[in-house]
Each structure stands twice: as C-alpha cells, then as structure tokens.
Amino acid sequence: MSRLQTPVRKNDNVLVITGKDRGKRGRVLKVVPDTNRLIVEGVNVIKRHTKPNPGKQIKGGVVEREAPLHASNVQIVCPECGKPTRIGRKVLGDDRKVRICRKCEGVVDK
Ligand SMILES: [Zn+2]
C-alpha cells in the first residue's frame, strides 16, 4: 500500500481546501485509489457541451457533472467535532481498525 493512499472513503464529508471550490463542503461520491482522486458532490462541477447523437440515445445540450479532484485538495470533516481534520488511525479493543480525528480523537468511521 502506498504511503500516499488517501484516508478518504466514500460517503465522508469533506471540505475543499484549495482550488476554485475552496471552502465548499460535500459528500464523497467516489474514490479512485489508484490516482488518489475523489468525486465530491457539488464540487468541481464542469459543464460539458454535447452534440446530439440519436444513434446512441444522447441528447444534445449542456451536461453538468462533477470532475475528480485530487485527495490532497480536501480535508475530512470530523462527524464528532464538525471540524476539518487530519486523520489518525487506531485499533480498537475488538481489533477493528478505525480512522480517528486528530483534533478530538473521535472515531470517524461509523
Ligand atoms: Zn473531531
């Protein structure tokens, strides 16, 4: 496992810390671990102008969708203290490995 592997998981709430969407919060829809990229709901939305292609059932027009952004551009928002935080790891008594908030030591995983 690469050291750069993001601790971000699907359905986490994250805060964007760089780029044009800095300050926005959203839910992670998808994680691409190979490239450390994320798709975050409502963040990094791009407009694509598509031409109609009736043969492929594609209607023309402007389509908005989220483009992937790099995991280093976001911070996980801790569900316990509500603050953006760095993530630590901890092994619980039952050997479960969980992610914890470095600020409040709260468990981020449900
Ligand atoms: Zn916390």
Side-chain angles (χ1 to χ4, degrees):
M1 193 181 284
S2 154
R3 190 180 294 199
L4 290 169
Q5 187 107 31
T6 174
V8 180
R9 299 285 175 265
K10 195 179 168 185
N11 290 329
D12 282 345
N13 275 303
V14 295
L15 171 73
V16 181
I17 51 173
T18 57
K20 72 181 170 77
D21 285 328
R22 184 169 58 185
K24 270 194 192 176
R25 292 181 184 212
R27 188 168 59 93
V28 176
L29 301 176
K30 193 179 176 196
V31 179
V32 187
D34 289 347
T35 55
N36 274 335
R37 283 177 184 273
L38 318 165
I39 304 228
V40 183
E41 196 169 36
V43 171
N44 208 21
V45 173
I46 54 166
K47 288 182 178 178
R48 300 197 60 167
H49 298 263
T50 54
K51 284 180 188 167
N53 186 340
K56 289 182 180 170
Q57 307 270 317
I58 295 171
K59 279 190 282 184
V62 181
V63 179
E64 291 196 351
R65 65 182 194 93
E66 288 96 350
L69 68 162
H70 199 261
S72 63
N73 293 347
V74 306
Q75 278 200 312
I76 291 176
V77 177
C78 170
E80 295 288 328
C81 65
K83 291 175 188 159
T85 183
R86 284 163 51 87
I87 292 297
R89 288 177 195 277
K90 189 177 170 181
V91 181
L92 297 181
D94 58 1
D95 281 350
R96 217 155 47 91
K97 283 189 188 128
V98 292
R99 295 173 298 156
I100 58 162
C101 168
R102 287 253 174 99
K103 286 191 175 147
C104 71
E105 307 279 301
V107 175
V108 172
D109 293 299
K110 302 291 182 302

